[in-house]
Amino acid sequence: DEIGIYEFLSKKDTLEALKADKQKLVQLYQLIESLSSYYIRGREGRDTPLSSIPFVLAEDEQLYAPNDVVALQVKLESLPTFLKAIVATNKKFLHPDIVKDEKAVTQLARCGLEIVSEQTVIRETRELINNTKSPDKCPPFWHYPDDLIKATLFLFTSGVSSIDTLVVEDGSLQTPKNTFLAGAPLDWRPLWE
């Protein structure tokens, strides 16, 4: 009797037996590619969507639904402390042996797995800065103005230059067009002063 990939992923006892063999799990996750989005969402309400079936192995060696797991593609230790809160989540982290396989991660993402990459951190940092219109709107896990300045420098060193506000010398927030860079070749501040 043949069994399809959806049915296999739905059988918790079979998956429990596979937990020790990460390579087999990776191959199993890659097979999700053969499922249409229609099937992944659950056919006409007859099936449970794959996003809520616990078949994804997390780093704690337990199985969770894809919606409850995040694939970290950025090293936490490489992030500045004030940015780690962006990655902080109540979700479980995908098992490191599975994170290494791009195809498996891509297929799990189709089922609801969240992926946190360097680009994700950059995008969310940019959004946080651009939403900070005044010191009291600074993210609650950042210290104003120090962490906002560090986040801005992080974006600049990452190649992002389009941000809405900058912390200026007096500690206030200004748009870049209202900001002078002291000592720059075109520093007009002395004339203004």
Side-chain angles (χ1 to χ4, degrees), residues 133-135 144-145 148 165-174 179:
K133 304 298 183 197
S134 64
Y144 185 86
L148 194 59
T165 55
L166 293 170
V167 178
V168 296
E169 198 171 38
D170 66 2
S172 66
L173 285 166
Q174 299 290 328
T179 308

Side-chain angles (χ1 to χ4, degrees), residues 27 45 54 120 132 138 155 164 189:
Q27 291 170 346
T120 308
T132 304
C138 192
L155 286 183
D164 295 347
R189 186 168 61 172

Side-chain angles (χ1 to χ4, degrees), residues 116-136:
V116 175
S117 65
E118 185 176 341
Q119 290 75 29
T120 308
V121 173
I122 290 170
R123 183 181 65 247
E124 290 189 22
T125 302
R126 185 170 179 261
E127 285 176 23
L128 285 171
I129 290 173
N130 287 341
N131 290 331
T132 304
K133 304 298 183 197
S134 64
D136 60 323

